Amino acid sequence: MLKKLAMMLLFAAMIGQAQARTGHKYVLELGDPVHSEKVPAASSLVTLGGSIFAVSDMSPFLYKLDQQFNVDSLTTIKQFPAESLKENGTLDSSVKPDYESMALIPFEEGKAFLVLGSGSKAMVREWGYLISQDHSKIIERSLSPLYSQLHSAGNFTEKQKFNIEGLAVAGEFTYILNRGNFGDNLIYQLKTDEVLQYMLGEREQVEHLVVKKVILPKMHGFEAGLSGATYSAKLDSLVFTASIEASSNINKKGYILGSFVGVLPMVKFSTENEIDLTFYSAIMQKDGKAVLAKAESVMISEESEDVIKGALVCDNDDGTSEFFNFVLKRNQ
């Protein structure tokens, strides 16, 4: 029965891949995957000073990587008792802070890494961190008041799960992405200076808050869920990742059907109340077949108005990470 189900899901992924390509505004080219056991379950990427930085939803560290995705060093974001850490540096799910999103934000004379917990478990996963560029200063801040405000603005039902998985800083505005778990994919717009003030303990809520529902591609009846984002200044757009899991239970992992890299123009965010990104999403594929990997985050290394180059990371729920270099091109 399980083999039959797996074959059905694979066929669904191939059908979905063909449907997703039709009419797309962007096409995606992937390099060969780079498998890593040193970075367990990477969930977000940024680039700074020629290096790549990653966080994991299973560990308490900020990882510094080279351009080949090898670990150069790591910084402890939050100390946990030694007995809480496993041999590979991961934490038990009952205590893990679930770092799911990260972005660079202006701070003091430079930048800081802004790291957010997913908010999927009250208190435990409702913590945010500002980490100075030289890692000499780490500020911890409860996200409970902010997440309560976002939850209210998102009009969640009892069956829908609040799950913050993406973060992008775009000048004046910061965007926080909620993954639609049996509910809506939502993107919140906040003012960057208010986010920084919140993280510094200077306010308990933000004044500017806009929320938009987005619609993503479907495969076999399952809609993709937002999983990461970064900002492209050349396109004045969010570049995002999304993935599809076939699951009938909100609390259980499902079969991975595929993932996407897409573009959300800011003008589209500003002018539409419900934003359909189906044709702005390019499926991850190699040799004409959908890559059955769960994309978690994306970073940009080079960009023009027609081509974006960068890296993305996948977490396939086995405690390891898979990195890809990519080229995203405007479909002519």
Side-chain angles (χ1 to χ4, degrees):
M1 177 63 72
L2 289 176
K3 185 177 180 180
K4 183 178 180 180
L5 177 59
M7 290 298 294
M8 289 174 63
L9 290 172
L10 178 60
F11 177 73
M14 294 173 66
I15 295 297
Q17 171 242 345
Q19 291 174 338
R21 275 198 311 242
T22 306
H24 269 202
K25 296 182 180 295
Y26 293 88
V27 292
L28 180 67
E29 298 175 1
L30 292 178
D32 293 329
V34 177
H35 190 77
S36 174
E37 296 183 358
K38 299 294 185 181
V39 185
S43 55
S44 194
L45 298 177
V46 299
T47 181
L48 179 66
S51 295
I52 300 168
F53 293 85
V55 289
S56 159
D57 65 11
M58 294 177 64
S59 84
F61 306 117
L62 173 65
Y63 298 85
K64 182 181 180 182
L65 314 176
D66 63 21
Q67 294 297 319
Q68 288 72 47
F69 310 110
N70 300 304
V71 176
D72 278 346
S73 62
L74 53 85
T75 298
T76 300
I77 299 174
K78 179 180 175 64
Q79 294 284 351
F80 284 84
E83 58 269 22
S84 299
L85 285 170
K86 301 176 185 178
E87 287 188 11
N88 63 350
T90 61
L91 294 162
D92 186 84
S93 62
S94 63
V95 298
K96 72 172 186 176
D98 202 23
Y99 305 140
E100 284 284 2
S101 54
M102 173 172 61
L104 296 172
I105 190 169
F107 180 67
E108 296 181 343
E109 299 303 315
K111 294 183 178 181
F113 302 90
L114 173 59
V115 179
L116 304 182
S118 68
S120 61
K121 183 178 289 188
M123 303 302 293
V124 177
R125 300 175 183 175
E126 294 181 331
W127 294 93
Y129 298 85
L130 274 179
I131 306 165
S132 61
Q133 190 167 330
D134 62 1
H135 301 187
S136 64
K137 185 182 296 185
I138 299 177
I139 299 171
E140 183 182 57
R141 176 75 159 104
S142 171
L143 297 174
S144 295
L146 177 62
Y147 279 3
S148 177
Q149 186 181 5
L150 298 186
H151 191 277
S152 296
N155 295 316
F156 285 81
T157 68
E158 291 184 2
K159 294 183 178 180
Q160 293 173 341
K161 188 176 180 181
F162 186 78
N163 188 14
I164 298 303
E165 293 226 0
L167 174 68
V169 175
E172 180 184 1
F173 297 109
T174 292
Y175 297 87
I176 296 178
L177 283 61
N178 181 80
R179 181 179 179 87
N181 293 83
F182 294 86
D184 297 333
N185 286 293
L186 301 176
I187 299 181
Y188 298 92
Q189 182 193 69
L190 300 79
K191 284 195 172 180
T192 301
D193 60 353
E194 292 184 3
V195 173
L196 184 59
Q197 290 163 11
Y198 180 91
M199 291 302 301
L200 295 174
E202 297 172 0
R203 60 167 62 238
E204 289 299 307
Q205 288 193 326
V206 296
E207 294 180 17
H208 178 89
L209 180 58
V210 177
V211 58
K212 299 287 181 75
K213 174 184 174 181
V214 299
I215 298 170
L216 296 173
K218 291 182 179 180
M219 289 182 178
H220 205 55
F222 296 96
E223 184 177 0
L226 292 167
S227 60
T230 190
Y231 176 66
S232 165
K234 287 285 186 182
L235 297 181
D236 189 25
S237 301
L238 296 186
V239 178
F240 64 87
T241 52
S243 61
I244 300 180
E245 290 180 85
S247 176
S248 59
N249 189 320
I250 194 170
N251 296 312
K252 292 184 178 180
K253 299 291 185 180
Y255 285 92
I256 300 167
L257 296 184
S259 292
F260 301 84
V261 177
V263 175
L264 168 54
M266 291 293 86
V267 65
K268 195 171 178 68
F269 184 91
S270 299
T271 57
E272 299 178 17
N273 289 325
E274 186 171 288
I275 307 168
D276 191 339
L277 296 175
T278 302
F279 296 114
Y280 290 80
S281 304
I283 195 165
M284 286 178 57
Q285 58 179 331
K286 291 278 287 184
D287 302 321
K289 297 180 181 179
V291 175
L292 301 183
K294 190 171 72 171
E296 288 282 337
S297 181
V298 60
M299 49 155 273
I300 295 172
S301 55
E302 299 178 43
E303 58 180 326
S304 68
E305 292 183 355
D306 295 316
V307 179
I308 291 176
K309 296 181 180 180
L312 59 86
V313 67
C314 298
D315 163 19
N316 297 325
D317 296 326
D318 61 0
T320 65
S321 302
E322 201 169 31
F323 297 90
F324 293 84
N325 287 307
F326 74 87
V327 179
L328 186 68
K329 297 181 180 179
R330 193 186 299 272
N331 204 356
Q332 302 298 330

